[in-house]
Amino acid sequence: AGGCEAALQQHDVLLAADIVNGDGLSELVERMVRLHLAPRGLFLMVAPRPFHRHRVDELRGLLLASDTLQTAIAPVPEWLSAGIEEAADIKHELYVVQRRTPCEMERFKRPGRNEETTSL
């Protein structure tokens, strides 16, 4: 990428919580992660499981299908959701996404490099 994209500031850590709930937001979030996450940087997001929130499944699919981002998804541990009223009814997941370096992208070609897990 060159031009404007090359001038964008990249960050070692990006944090998000419950940000996808409408049309087009999944694509926007995935694009912002690709543009602003530094190589080997981490994007950490807590979001309701897809059946609890509209459009989360789209972002999940984009992140898991990405060749440039390594993604792991796990249920949010109970200790982390203690005291949150909606946690009794709405289960959340923790997304841990790391941007691969160009060398890693060559080494980690598909299939099956991204995963859902029961714990991180």
Side-chain angles (χ1 to χ4, degrees):
C4 294
E5 289 186 11
L8 292 174
Q9 188 174 17
Q10 293 186 327
H11 305 278
D12 292 329
V13 177
L14 299 174
L15 301 174
D18 201 6
I19 57 173
V20 177
N21 60 8
D23 294 338
L25 290 177
S26 297
E27 294 84 0
L28 179 63
V29 169
E30 189 268 344
R31 182 172 186 266
M32 292 299 105
V33 170
R34 278 190 296 104
L35 291 175
H36 294 285
L37 189 61
R40 305 296 295 151
L42 288 176
F43 169 57
L44 304 171
M45 179 179 76
V46 173
R49 296 183 79 184
F51 55 84
H52 290 299
R53 191 74 84 237
H54 182 62
R55 301 292 185 209
V56 172
D57 57 334
E58 291 176 3
L59 179 58
R60 169 194 279 265
L62 290 169
L63 294 173
L64 289 171
S66 176
D67 285 333
T68 60
L69 302 171
Q70 182 175 355
T71 301
I73 304 169
V76 169
E78 286 187 33
W79 64 266
L80 189 57
S81 59
I84 300 173
E85 287 182 30
E86 76 171 10
D89 300 319
I90 299 175
K91 300 302 177 195
H92 289 74
E93 294 177 317
L94 174 62
Y95 290 65
V96 179
V97 180
Q98 189 168 43
R99 184 169 176 218
R100 294 187 176 119
T101 64
C103 292
E104 289 172 323
M105 284 186 262
E106 286 300 315
R107 229 179 315 141
F108 292 104
K109 291 287 184 186
R110 293 246 161 278
R113 298 312 302 175
N114 292 323
E115 61 195 43
E116 292 185 51
T117 182
T118 56
S119 64
L120 294 174

